[in-house]
Amino acid sequence: MTEPKMKKLIFYFKLYDLLYVLLAFNAFVNGSAVMEIATLILVLFGAVTAVCMAAQFHVYRKMPNIWIIAAFLVSYLISSGLTRQYGVTDNLKEMLWLGISMIVIYGSSYMYEPDEMKQEFRILAWVWVAYCTIANLVSLSMVVWGRGYKIGSGATAKVVGLKWGRLWGIYDDPNHGGTIAVAAILLTIYLIVTAKKRWQKGICLFTIVIQFVYLVLSDSRTGIVSLTAGIFFWGLFRQFQKQREKDWVFRIRKIGFPLLIAILTAVLALGAAEAGGVVFEKMDARLVAVLPKKAVTPEYEKDTRKTELENDASNGRLDIWKSGLEITKTSPVFGVSFRNMTAYAEEILPETYLVDNAIHAKYDSMHNSVLDILVSQGIVGIVIFLILAGNTLWILAKRIRDVKAEDWTFLSGCFAVIAAMGAGSLFISMVFYLNGPQTYIFWLCFGYMMTLLVPYKDESCEKSDVL
């Protein structure tokens, strides 16, 4: 396949995968027969793309981190094999999702030129922002009509809308909805910075308001942390660019001002979110007073969220994390695999919080991506993860001097998204094992960033200065 045709194939796959993961987190759509067909198409499309990439292995083998990622996938395969008595099918699916994110989405950017990546990124960003704007407008409207709204019936029924005093909206989980909105905000900021026409900037500003209002009403502390990290690192990178133009040596006195600006920006975002929450609480009290009684269902339970946080500020996370460490002690080297951790805990540690708790929930993740890796792939997986993180930071420090001035905004935007999703992944499971929008945008931007740092046509790559 010629290079232009290969790039078209990759773009169409990325576009389809983006639409798929966004819809997969839409409670009105996921689990439907249409999504089952869409999943099958994604698998076939991904397989074709992967085969075509394999045919040009001489290009992708030079992609930074690709061998470390390969080792991570092999480690997961071993973990799955060692716990096959607890399940096989789900882990095969997990290997597929990991391969799509970490090989196809991440690695496929490597043959692109910077201008080609920017063009692709803008298109995908517009799709993301447009979808999230529509989705969150619907979500916001559910403040009136979606209090404890049920989709389906019986044991499979899903309650969305306004629930426990939080706006879940169209999502199954407000924390996922919040972090998806954060990614939309950061992508929109990039679109504003790079837009050439005023009407485009105006539309972008409108969408930011929609995403931010949803984030506030979702009461997602994870989303706020994610947004804070994204804004912080974007501001820091932009200030570093200005310093780089004068002198690359960053002394404390030189980075002090950029740090202060970034911190103040983050504090402003947190303050606005808190103030917005107070305003909504007052408006909501008036709205409930005029709504018909049948509109306020038991599932709404406005004070449940406050009660939970008063009793446990971590909202159960500390207990889940403790449970993860207990599981790790029983299988420290290769772990128990991500999709088998619940079944493993039920048999080996039936009294651990993961499967034995007051609300009778069977948790299937650690709500922390680092702990997910430790439990799923043991010490081996964590060591590979640390090598991946260390190698990335080493390349960033060594090669960032070579990034052209016209590519710095793109680099800053990508790093901001990576930082935001990475920060969010410390409190909900995403980025590694979850096939969701946050995982998609993380690995997409990660691939863009590494390609900017180490272009595949860069002759210096031949010197094996990167892994």
Side-chain angles (χ1 to χ4, degrees), residues 239-241 243-244 247-252 254-255:
Q239 292 300 320
F240 277 178
Q241 180 189 13
Q243 294 289 343
R244 187 186 74 152
D247 184 359
W248 180 253
V249 181
F250 296 134
R251 298 182 178 89
I252 296 298
K254 287 190 174 183
I255 67 173

Side-chain angles (χ1 to χ4, degrees), residues 69-358:
I69 288 172
F72 186 88
L73 294 175
V74 170
S75 169
Y76 189 82
L77 186 62
I78 293 172
S79 300
S80 301
L82 293 175
T83 57
R84 61 189 180 279
Q85 67 270 31
Y86 300 105
V88 175
T89 304
D90 286 343
N91 272 325
L92 289 176
K93 293 178 181 178
E94 187 58 57
M95 282 295 298
L96 176 66
W97 303 139
L98 284 171
I100 287 177
S101 297
M102 302 176 76
I103 298 295
V104 180
I105 298 299
Y106 170 80
S108 62
S109 298
Y110 197 52
M111 65 161 52
Y112 282 54
E113 298 290 346
D115 288 343
E116 293 173 324
M117 287 191 294
K118 293 175 190 176
Q119 182 181 12
E120 179 183 85
F121 187 52
R122 281 183 61 81
I123 295 172
L124 296 176
W126 274 114
V127 171
W128 184 295
V129 171
Y131 173 85
C132 286
T133 301
I134 296 171
N136 286 335
L137 280 172
V138 174
S139 296
L140 292 174
S141 73
M142 296 180 79
V143 169
V144 176
W145 63 271
R147 293 167 182 263
Y149 186 86
K150 283 189 177 182
I151 301 174
S153 58
T156 60
K158 295 179 286 187
V159 181
V160 293
L162 195 63
K163 177 180 177 182
W164 300 339
R166 307 176 68 182
L167 182 58
W168 297 45
I170 68 163
Y171 301 100
D172 292 312
D173 186 313
N175 285 322
H176 283 296
T179 49
I180 292 169
V182 166
I185 291 172
L186 295 174
L187 293 174
T188 307
I189 292 174
Y190 176 78
L191 293 174
I192 290 175
V193 172
T194 58
K196 297 180 180 179
K197 299 180 179 180
R198 288 186 178 181
W199 66 267
Q200 293 177 333
K201 294 178 184 289
I203 291 175
C204 288
L205 288 172
F206 169 75
T207 66
I208 286 181
V209 172
I210 298 302
Q211 317 306 338
F212 189 74
V213 172
Y214 171 79
L215 177 62
V216 169
L217 299 189
S218 71
D219 195 20
S220 173
R221 296 175 299 169
T222 300
I224 295 298
V225 170
S226 181
L227 179 62
T228 300
I231 291 176
F232 175 86
F233 282 103
W234 197 324
L236 197 62
F237 258 57
R238 293 297 293 174
Q239 292 300 320
F240 277 178
Q241 180 189 13
K242 295 178 181 179
Q243 294 289 343
R244 187 186 74 152
E245 294 171 355
K246 301 175 183 178
D247 184 359
W248 180 253
V249 181
F250 296 134
R251 298 182 178 89
I252 296 298
R253 62 183 177 83
K254 287 190 174 183
I255 67 173
F257 182 70
L259 280 171
L260 178 61
I261 295 299
I263 291 172
L264 288 175
T265 304
V267 169
L268 178 62
L270 285 167
E274 288 296 324
V278 172
V279 171
F280 172 70
E281 188 171 355
K282 293 180 179 179
M283 292 176 58
D284 188 52
R286 296 179 181 179
L287 185 60
V288 170
V290 299
L291 283 174
K293 291 184 178 180
K294 64 178 182 180
V296 184
T297 61
E299 290 84 357
Y300 171 57
E301 295 183 36
K302 181 179 177 180
D303 296 327
T304 302
R305 169 74 166 170
K306 289 183 178 180
T307 303
E308 287 182 345
L309 294 182
E310 287 174 358
N311 296 331
D312 178 13
S314 73
N315 201 16
R317 285 183 176 86
L318 290 178
D319 290 321
I320 294 174
W321 294 347
K322 180 182 177 181
S323 187
L325 295 176
E326 291 172 350
I327 295 171
T328 299
K329 289 180 181 178
T330 66
S331 183
V333 181
F334 286 106
V336 301
S337 77
F338 185 73
R339 295 299 178 183
N340 286 342
M341 68 171 66
T342 305
Y344 178 91
E346 286 183 310
E347 179 176 328
I348 306 301
L349 294 167
E351 295 182 357
T352 191
Y353 184 86
L354 196 73
V355 294
D356 183 18
N357 47 75

Side-chain angles (χ1 to χ4, degrees), residues 4 15 33-34 43 67 129 137 159 177 188 202 394 397 430 462:
L15 179 60
V34 173
V43 171
W67 294 108
V129 171
L137 280 172
V159 181
T188 307
W394 182 73
M430 59 185 194
E462 299 291 344

Side-chain angles (χ1 to χ4, degrees), residues 62 110 399 454-465:
K62 298 178 183 178
Y110 197 52
R399 311 273 304 194
V454 189
Y456 89 99
K457 292 183 179 179
D458 187 347
E459 294 179 359
S460 63
C461 296
E462 299 291 344
K463 299 178 182 178
S464 300
D465 62 341

Side-chain angles (χ1 to χ4, degrees), residues 419-439:
M421 297 301 100
S425 74
L426 297 178
F427 302 98
I428 58 174
S429 295
M430 59 185 194
V431 171
F432 279 95
Y433 300 107
L434 184 73
N435 185 38
Q438 308 99 312
T439 303

